[in-house]
Amino acid sequence: AQTVTQSQPEMSVQEAETVTLSCTYDTSESDYYLFWYKQPPSRQMILVIRQEAYKQQNATENRFSVNFQKAAKSFSLKISDSQLGDAAMYFCAYRRETNFGNEKLTFGTGTRLTIIP
Amino acid sequence: NAGVTQTPKFQVLKTGQSMTLQCAQDMNHNSMYWYRQDPGMGLRLIYYSASEGTTDKGEVPNGYNVSRLNKREFSLRLESAAPSQTSVYFCASLFRSSYNSPLHFGNGTRLTVT
């Protein structure tokens, strides 16, 4: 079974600084998809960014970018110019490529990010 | 669009009581899911449904039953609630437009079993 590990239960960063959240995963598959979700205090789950394993180029979404290292099975999230609204729990998630009908996501345990004004 | 709607938002049960968590999506999504979130455990899959009329167990199905009533609705039932089922429950749905389609989540139900 696939596992996703987030080794940093909590992180903090000064406002306007850059922070990197780490995620590693274990899989024997070669084709899969990786996601970062954000959960603010409102409890809502919000997609931040996604990466296809077959793409060598790292995904970026405005201030959010990933460092995808397929050989190392690592998928870290970098947040640049941190803002107070970035304070949240961040979850890394994995989904293997499969036939439609079996698209289950496996989540990590989360990293709580605090932004220091 | 309302997206994924879960009811209720909060619920307190006594041990042994039963209840059903309701979930409906208006996005014409094919697959629907129930996850539970516990501190330090992340989100764990309870059950999922790839299409109307089909359901499959996830990682932690014991103590739960589900019903995919139609394409829009996917309910989760606790027949005899236990304190170990105190958790936040999320319903999610997925549209198979592409392999990298993300899950769309409801806002969660906080359940406390005393």
Side-chain angles (χ1 to χ4, degrees):
Chain A
Q2 290 80 19
T3 58
V4 178
T5 301
Q6 293 179 251
S7 59
Q8 306 152 316
E10 296 182 350
M11 293 279 286
S12 62
V13 63
Q14 293 280 150
E15 193 176 1
E17 297 294 309
T18 296
V19 64
T20 299
L21 309 184
S22 66
C23 172
T24 58
Y25 55 94
D26 183 26
T27 184
S28 58
E29 306 286 337
S30 59
D31 293 320
Y32 49 86
Y33 304 88
L34 298 163
F35 304 84
W36 278 98
Y37 279 87
K38 168 185 176 181
Q39 186 182 44
S42 66
R43 209 166 65 196
Q44 187 180 7
M45 292 287 287
I46 303 165
L47 176 69
V48 175
I49 200 165
R50 65 185 120 174
Q51 174 80 42
E52 294 86 350
Y54 63 82
K55 288 187 178 179
Q56 292 188 334
Q57 187 174 7
N58 289 325
T60 62
E61 289 286 345
N62 301 314
R63 297 182 296 107
F64 298 87
S65 62
V66 299
N67 184 5
F68 173 50
Q69 301 288 329
K70 190 172 184 178
K73 297 180 183 175
S74 171
F75 183 59
S76 61
L77 175 69
K78 185 171 83 171
I79 306 173
S80 304
D81 184 26
S82 297
Q83 300 175 0
L84 294 178
D86 295 334
M89 181 75 87
Y90 286 81
F91 291 99
C92 179
Y94 165 99
R95 191 179 98 201
R96 68 185 177 98
E97 184 172 300
T98 181
N99 292 333
F100 283 142
N102 194 23
E103 308 95 334
K104 296 176 285 185
L105 256 66
T106 300
F107 286 85
T109 53
T111 296
R112 184 173 301 283
L113 178 65
T114 301
I115 310 297
I116 302 167
Chain B
N1 285 341
V4 180
T5 303
Q6 288 183 238
T7 55
K9 288 186 170 56
F10 301 94
Q11 184 71 49
V12 178
L13 293 178
K14 294 187 187 317
T15 297
Q17 288 185 319
S18 62
M19 80 160 294
T20 300
L21 279 64
Q22 307 287 353
C23 175
Q25 51 87 13
D26 61 1
M27 298 175 284
N28 200 35
H29 284 183
N30 311 97
S31 300
M32 297 186 74
Y33 306 79
W34 277 105
Y35 283 88
R36 60 176 289 174
Q37 181 182 7
D38 302 291
M41 305 285 285
L43 279 79
R44 293 179 293 169
L45 183 63
I46 305 171
Y47 271 93
Y48 69 101
S49 170
S51 62
E52 182 181 350
T54 67
T55 61
D56 285 287
K57 295 179 180 178
E59 184 184 352
V60 288
N62 290 345
Y64 305 96
N65 287 303
V66 290
S67 178
R68 182 76 182 268
L69 304 170
N70 47 55
K71 192 171 186 180
R72 290 186 63 247
E73 299 172 287
F74 188 40
S75 61
L76 179 72
R77 183 161 178 82
L78 287 69
E79 290 290 351
S80 178
S84 61
Q85 294 178 305
T86 293
S87 187
V88 177
Y89 291 85
F90 285 96
C91 178
S93 68
L94 175 77
F95 182 60
R96 300 188 202 127
S97 59
S98 64
Y99 281 111
N100 68 349
S101 296
L103 288 185
H104 295 259
F105 285 85
N107 288 333
T109 296
R110 180 174 293 279
L111 175 67
T112 302
V113 183
T114 60

